[in-house]
Amino acid sequence: CGHNSAHHTFQQTLATIRTAAGLRETLRNTLGPDEAELMTRTLLEKAIQDTVMSFQRLAEQIYESRAGVSARRNAFQNLDAGSNLWDTVAGSSFEKIVGTAAMDRLRVFYQQRHLLAHQQGIVDADYITRSGDATYAVGQRLVIKESAVLEFAGLIEQLGSALLKSSPFHCGDS
């Protein structure tokens, strides 16, 4: 089948994210408790951002191979915009691919990524409206848990794998 850097990089990034999500105990045994918590928080927040970035790169390459043109810059950083593009080129929205419940969870994670990247993780009214996440109040800081990072990686892997299966990059079930 040949080497595919988009798929390889996507899988490698998800493996790294999963490893990072499980480092809390190792860090506690190596660093002081405060340093370990700070490093863990930093790794988990970076994992949320890296998950979106890895999917964005994969989706852009698959989209370009199907559509023959590039998507607008950062289109796949916005879940709904990316879904609309995919629906146009492949005839199936992300929601049709992964289901409504998974899409709802993905929206929360994508909005969290947005807050981490642009608001230092501080919740604003737009986050609550766009994500539907009522567990936070305006002004609170996001708390990213290992389980959330692993869930997000799993959902993105499911979506990315479905896109890959419909692309010229797909080389079988391996």
Side-chain angles (χ1 to χ4, degrees):
C1 170
H3 182 268
N4 178 311
S5 64
H7 180 230
H8 176 74
T9 302
F10 178 67
Q11 292 298 327
Q12 190 174 45
T13 301
L14 291 177
T16 301
I17 287 164
R18 289 178 170 118
T19 298
L23 288 177
R24 181 183 300 272
E25 283 307 311
T26 301
L27 292 172
R28 281 186 183 157
N29 293 331
T30 307
L31 306 170
D34 292 340
E35 293 87 0
E37 285 306 309
L38 178 60
M39 184 62 68
T40 299
R41 185 183 82 199
T42 300
L43 287 170
L44 294 173
E45 290 176 0
K46 184 178 182 320
I48 293 290
Q49 295 184 61
D50 288 351
T51 302
V52 171
M53 217 38 145
S54 70
F55 178 75
Q56 174 192 339
R57 287 187 193 119
L58 178 70
E60 285 172 346
Q61 288 187 5
I62 297 170
Y63 177 84
E64 186 173 342
S65 73
R66 286 191 67 126
V69 296
S70 297
R72 75 166 172 76
R73 182 180 162 106
N74 297 330
F76 290 98
Q77 280 187 21
N78 179 308
L79 192 61
D80 292 320
S83 179
N84 290 338
L85 280 173
W86 190 255
D87 194 19
T88 300
V89 76
S92 185
S93 69
F94 293 167
E95 189 164 341
K96 287 178 188 171
I97 294 169
V98 297
T100 302
M103 246 339 242
D104 289 346
R105 291 297 295 151
L106 285 168
R107 280 188 186 92
V108 170
F109 293 129
Y110 263 69
Q111 288 302 312
Q112 288 179 348
R113 191 242 25 122
H114 183 80
L115 281 185
L116 291 166
H118 302 291
Q119 301 285 109
Q120 293 184 312
I122 305 300
V123 173
D124 59 14
D126 284 343
Y127 168 79
I128 294 168
T129 300
R130 291 178 181 160
S131 69
D133 183 358
T135 61
Y136 289 99
V138 171
Q140 288 184 309
R141 190 171 195 298
L142 291 176
V143 176
I144 306 299
K145 297 182 180 177
E146 294 93 341
S147 59
V149 168
L150 295 172
E151 178 187 4
F152 189 23
L155 290 169
I156 283 296
E157 184 172 42
Q158 178 186 356
L159 182 56
S161 293
L163 270 57
L164 273 165
K165 284 182 181 175
S166 70
S167 79
F169 299 140
H170 181 62
C171 302
D173 294 321
S174 57

